[in-house]
Amino acid sequence: MSFLLSAHSSHYPHEIFMDANATTPVLPALQELMSKVYQTHYGNPSSPHYAGIRAKRVLNDTRNAGAHLFACEPDQIIFMSGATEGINTAVLSVLQSYAGGKGKGCYLLYSATEHKAVPEALRHWNTLLQVEAEVMAIPVDREGQIDLEFLRAHVGDALMICTMGANNETGVYCDLAALEREIRALRSDIPWLVDCVQMLGKRPIALGKTTIDYAPFSAHKLYGPKGVGALYVRTGAPFTPLQTGGGQERGLRGGTENVAGIAALGQIFTWLNDRAISPFQDSETLYGYRQTIIDALQSAFPKLTLNQPLDRSLATTINFSVAGYSSSELIAIFDAAGIRVSAGSACSTGGARSFVLDAMGLPTWQSEGAIRMSFGPAFSQADLDTLCERLTFIRDKITGANPWGQGALYIPDPMTSGSAWIMCRTTQQALALTDSPDVMQGIESCCPETDWQIQVWNKESQDFAGFRLHREANGVRITALATERSIQLTDAGIVVAHTPSPKLMAVSEFNCEQMTFIDVREQSEALAQYHEYPSPCLQTIPRALWCDYVLRAEPEGSPRPIFFCRSGNRATEVARLALSVGWQDACACNAAASEVFDWLRRQKTPVE
C-alpha cells in the first residue's frame, strides 16, 4: 500500500490521456462530492433512521435524474457495479426460462463488433443453464453497421438479440430507431439488449420511448468512479436478480448500495440534463476538436488511414492505422511523447489485432496496426492545444535528420535479422551488407540527402567507418577497430556468446551516482521522446544502434550501466549482448521505462 500511495502522489503534467473509451479520470467536482457524501451521508440506505434516510435520498435523487435523462420511470433504473454486471443480469433474466435444453435449435444473436462482455455472458449462461442455444454473431459491413438481411433470416428463431449503441473501438454508432423498426416488424416479443456504455453523454438515449428491454451504463466512462453503474430495464421485461441478499433495490439487486458512487453518477445525470451547468462540451465543439486532431495526426503520419466512417461515429473517437507501423510501435511513439492511446478495447489487450476491424472486413495491416485515440466531452481547448503541440513534435522528430553521430553500425533487428549497414557521415557514404530492399529503404530513411553514395559489401575483408568486416562460414564478423570488440552476424541475427545472464535490477536498487541509465528504444520511440531527460546520467539508444553502442562505447571507469525499456526482455537482450562482447558489469532493469523515468524525475525534483 505504501508503494501505491507514493506512486500516485506524484503529478504527471506531461500526460495527455487519450484513452477515454477505456476509462476517464474522476473530475475534481465529483471527487469533492463523493468526499462530502462519505462524511455526511454515511448511513445504510436500508436503515430506517435519519442517517439511512439521508443516504436513501441520494439514491432517489440519482434515480430521478436518470429517469429524466432517459425519458423513463425511476423504478426502471437499477444501480449496479457497472455495465458488465448489467449485461450478465440481462442475459440471465432472459435465459433462465430456457434452462435444461429448452433453447435447443434457437439462436442467441449479438452484433459481431460487440464488446466481449456480451458474447462471453451469452456463452457462459447458455452453458451453465444448459440452454443449448447457438450463440451467433450478426455480421457487419465495412462501416460497422449490422447486416439486416442476416438479422431478418435469423431473428425469428432467436431467444435474444444484443446490439451496441456505439462501438467502443471505432465509435461507430447505430441508428437505433431504424434498427428498432426492423426488429419489431419481425419480432415484437424478442428481448433486446443495447450496450449504451459509450453513448452516455455523447448521443441522445430516450430509452423510455423505445422498446429496448435492457441498457447498461458505467459511471467511469464519463468521469465518474469505477465500480458503479446502472441497468435500465423496460417494464414487463423478464428479470431475474444476478445476486440476492438483503432486498436492496426493491429485491432486484442484493448488496448495500455504493452511495458515494451513485451520488457521482447522479451528478453526471444532472449535468447531462442541464447543459448550462455542465462541464461537457457540445457536440459541434467536439466534432471540431476531432477534425483538428485528425489533421494533426495526418501531418505527423502522412500514410495514416482512418478505420471508421466519420459521419457515423462519435465525435470523441478516432480509430486509425499507419502503413509500416504496428500498433505496438505506434503506442510506444505516443507513450514516449506523453500521449496515452490504446490498440482497442482495454478488456482485450492480449489480442494481436482488432476483432472489430476484422469483423468490418478491413485489411490485415489495418487490423494489426489499429490505434484508438479517444477523449471525453470534458476535453478542453487547452488539452487540444497541448495534444497538437506534441503531435507536431512527433512529426518534426520522426521526419527530421538522423541525430546519432557521424558514423554508425545499423542493425534494425539485432536478434532476428541479418540486415545491416554502416554509415559514415563525414564522407556521406553508406555500406550495405546486402542489397535487399529492406536495407536500402533503411539507409534512405537514415540519410534523406540526395548526394549519399551507397555501395554493397563484396564479401571480402574490408575496413569502413571504424569497423572491420570479415567473412565467416555462416555470416560476417564485425569488429570495432577502436575497442577490438566484435560480433558475429548471420542471416538469423546476432550470435550471442554463452555468457551468464545479466543481473535484473529493481527500481529500488538504483543509485544515480553509481549508475548510467541506458534507455533502449525503437528508433521511432527515441525520436518521439517528449519530455526532457530527468537525469544527466541517462542515455537513449535506439534499437538499430544497439550493436554500434556495445561495440564502441567505453563503459570502463564509468558508472555501472543498467539497460531498461518498455519491454524487460529487450533490456535483458541488450545487457546480455554487452556482456558477451566484453562489458564487465552490464545489468538490466525489470521495471517499465515509465517507472524508471518517474523514479529519475523524483530524484531530480523530490515529490513533497
Side-chain angles (χ1 to χ4, degrees):
M1 182 61 71
S2 61
F3 169 77
L4 291 175
L5 289 173
S6 64
H8 111 117
S9 64
S10 57
H11 182 50
Y12 297 94
H14 61 284
E15 181 171 274
I16 299 295
F17 190 77
M18 297 296 290
D19 195 18
N21 285 9
T23 194
T24 51
V26 180
L27 288 179
L30 297 182
Q31 295 180 37
E32 293 175 11
L33 173 62
M34 291 173 65
S35 178
K36 181 178 179 181
V37 171
Y38 282 129
Q39 296 173 36
T40 62
H41 293 67
Y42 46 77
N44 189 319
S46 297
S47 297
H49 47 64
Y50 186 51
I53 293 171
R54 287 201 308 270
K56 186 74 171 181
R57 190 177 297 148
V58 172
L59 274 57
N60 292 338
D61 290 347
T62 298
R63 224 183 297 271
N64 289 331
H68 181 72
L69 179 64
F70 302 137
C72 67
E73 296 300 320
D75 63 4
Q76 292 177 303
I77 296 174
I78 306 168
F79 298 123
M80 298 195 167
S81 63
T84 297
E85 182 185 345
I87 290 166
N88 277 271
T89 300
V91 172
L92 170 63
S93 297
V94 173
L95 297 193
Q96 59 88 24
S97 298
Y98 300 96
K102 296 178 184 177
K104 191 171 184 178
C106 297
Y107 304 118
L108 297 172
L109 298 177
Y110 70 95
S111 59
T113 55
E114 202 80 28
H115 189 287
K116 287 190 175 182
V118 170
E120 288 303 312
L122 291 171
R123 295 187 187 101
H124 173 76
W125 293 109
N126 185 48
T127 300
L128 192 65
L129 298 175
Q130 298 181 342
V131 173
E132 297 186 20
E134 181 181 352
V135 180
M136 180 179 289
I138 307 170
V140 298
D141 61 21
R142 289 181 72 89
E143 293 195 342
Q145 301 299 322
I146 284 177
D147 183 337
L148 294 180
E149 289 301 321
F150 185 95
L151 175 67
R152 295 171 188 136
H154 294 87
V155 74
D157 295 318
L159 305 180
M160 182 178 192
I161 181 169
C162 306
T163 64
M164 296 191 90
N167 186 266
N168 54 302
E169 290 196 23
T170 62
V172 169
Y173 59 78
C174 172
D175 183 343
L176 287 175
L179 182 59
E180 181 178 23
R181 289 192 293 270
E182 289 285 347
I183 292 174
R184 295 312 181 195
L186 298 164
R187 286 279 305 276
S188 62
D189 62 333
I190 187 170
W192 181 19
L193 165 70
V194 176
D195 177 355
C196 289
V197 169
Q198 296 296 338
M199 293 184 70
L200 187 63
K202 304 165 190 173
R203 295 282 298 173
I205 28 180
L207 293 167
K209 298 180 180 180
T210 73
T211 59
I212 294 169
D213 293 287
Y214 310 97
F217 301 90
S218 288
H220 77 100
K221 302 293 187 178
L222 201 66
Y223 304 102
K226 298 171 180 63
V228 63
L231 176 67
Y232 162 83
V233 181
R234 187 163 72 108
T235 301
F239 191 88
T240 298
L242 179 64
Q243 63 186 50
T244 60
Q248 292 87 354
E249 292 298 286
R250 308 181 312 283
L252 301 178
R253 198 267 189 183
T256 303
E257 294 91 345
N258 176 358
V259 179
I262 291 171
L265 180 61
Q267 183 61 65
I268 293 170
F269 290 161
T270 300
W271 283 336
L272 295 176
N273 285 324
D274 187 354
R275 293 288 181 174
I277 62 171
S278 171
F280 303 142
Q281 306 283 6
D282 59 46
S283 178
E284 182 179 357
T285 299
L286 293 173
Y287 275 112
Y289 285 175
R290 186 181 70 172
Q291 188 57 55
T292 299
I293 295 170
I294 290 173
D295 292 343
L297 284 168
Q298 290 175 330
S299 177
F301 302 99
K303 295 183 179 180
L304 180 144
T305 297
L306 292 171
N307 297 326
Q308 74 205 90
L310 293 182
D311 60 342
R312 294 289 296 275
S313 57
L314 298 175
T316 52
T317 303
I318 306 169
N319 192 297
F320 62 90
S321 303
V322 179
Y325 289 91
S326 67
S327 58
S328 61
E329 289 171 334
L330 288 170
I331 288 174
I333 291 172
F334 287 117
D335 213 37
I339 303 170
R340 312 306 179 213
V341 299
S342 69
S345 170
C347 304
S348 308
T349 52
R353 55 194 293 160
S354 168
F355 77 90
V356 170
L357 300 188
D358 285 343
M360 291 167 63
L362 299 188
T364 298
W365 74 268
Q366 286 176 248
S367 176
E368 292 182 345
I371 290 295
R372 179 184 69 184
M373 181 176 280
S374 53
F375 55 99
F379 197 71
S380 68
Q381 182 65 50
D383 295 328
L384 179 67
D385 292 343
T386 302
L387 173 65
C388 290
E389 174 192 339
R390 296 187 184 189
L391 291 175
T392 299
F393 186 94
I394 289 174
R395 179 201 67 192
D396 294 343
K397 286 291 184 179
I398 290 179
T399 59
N402 188 293
W404 292 298
Q406 296 302 309
L409 167 65
Y410 289 79
I411 306 180
D413 296 297
M415 301 299 178
T416 60
S417 170
S419 297
W421 61 90
I422 303 172
M423 296 179 61
C424 180
R425 285 190 172 273
T426 55
T427 62
Q428 287 201 302
Q429 292 181 321
L431 178 66
L433 269 66
T434 68
D435 59 357
S436 70
D438 287 345
V439 169
M440 294 303 172
Q441 290 175 9
I443 295 175
E444 290 174 3
S445 68
C446 290
C447 50
E449 298 93 341
T450 58
D451 55 350
W452 275 75
Q453 298 178 10
I454 303 174
Q455 56 181 297
V456 179
W457 183 46
N458 62 9
K459 308 301 181 184
E460 300 294 333
S461 294
Q462 182 179 352
D463 290 352
F464 185 87
F467 292 94
R468 175 164 294 159
L469 284 71
H470 179 73
R471 185 176 181 181
E472 295 189 340
N474 62 341
V476 57
R477 179 159 296 279
I478 305 174
T479 304
L481 297 176
T483 62
E484 297 188 351
R485 300 194 199 104
S486 66
I487 56 170
Q488 183 184 7
L489 178 63
T490 70
D491 290 341
I494 297 296
V495 177
V496 180
H498 178 70
T499 57
S501 296
K503 177 184 177 183
L504 285 176
M505 298 187 69
V507 174
S508 58
E509 300 176 78
F510 290 176
N511 185 319
C512 281
E513 295 181 358
Q514 299 177 7
M515 295 177 180
T516 298
F517 300 92
I518 305 169
D519 185 11
V520 182
R521 296 277 180 130
E522 297 292 352
Q523 178 173 325
S524 53
E525 291 178 64
L527 285 169
Q529 189 66 51
Y530 183 81
H531 53 72
E532 295 181 0
Y533 289 159
S535 173
C537 58
L538 175 66
Q539 302 176 44
T540 295
I541 308 300
R543 180 171 185 158
L545 292 173
W546 290 355
C547 295
D548 179 86
Y549 183 77
V550 299
L551 290 181
R552 300 205 297 176
E554 294 285 357
E556 293 80 3
S558 62
R560 182 181 197 179
I562 173 168
F563 295 91
F564 68 92
C565 59
R566 279 180 62 92
S567 162
N569 290 338
R570 189 191 305 167
T572 303
E573 286 178 348
V574 184
R576 186 164 168 254
L577 176 60
L579 291 172
S580 73
V581 300
W583 289 41
Q584 299 298 313
D585 209 14
C587 302
C589 178
N590 59 6
S594 55
E595 294 179 70
V596 178
F597 273 110
D598 182 52
W599 185 89
L600 289 169
R601 193 175 289 109
R602 290 203 304 272
Q603 308 314 301
K604 183 179 181 182
T605 308
V607 177
E608 296 182 359

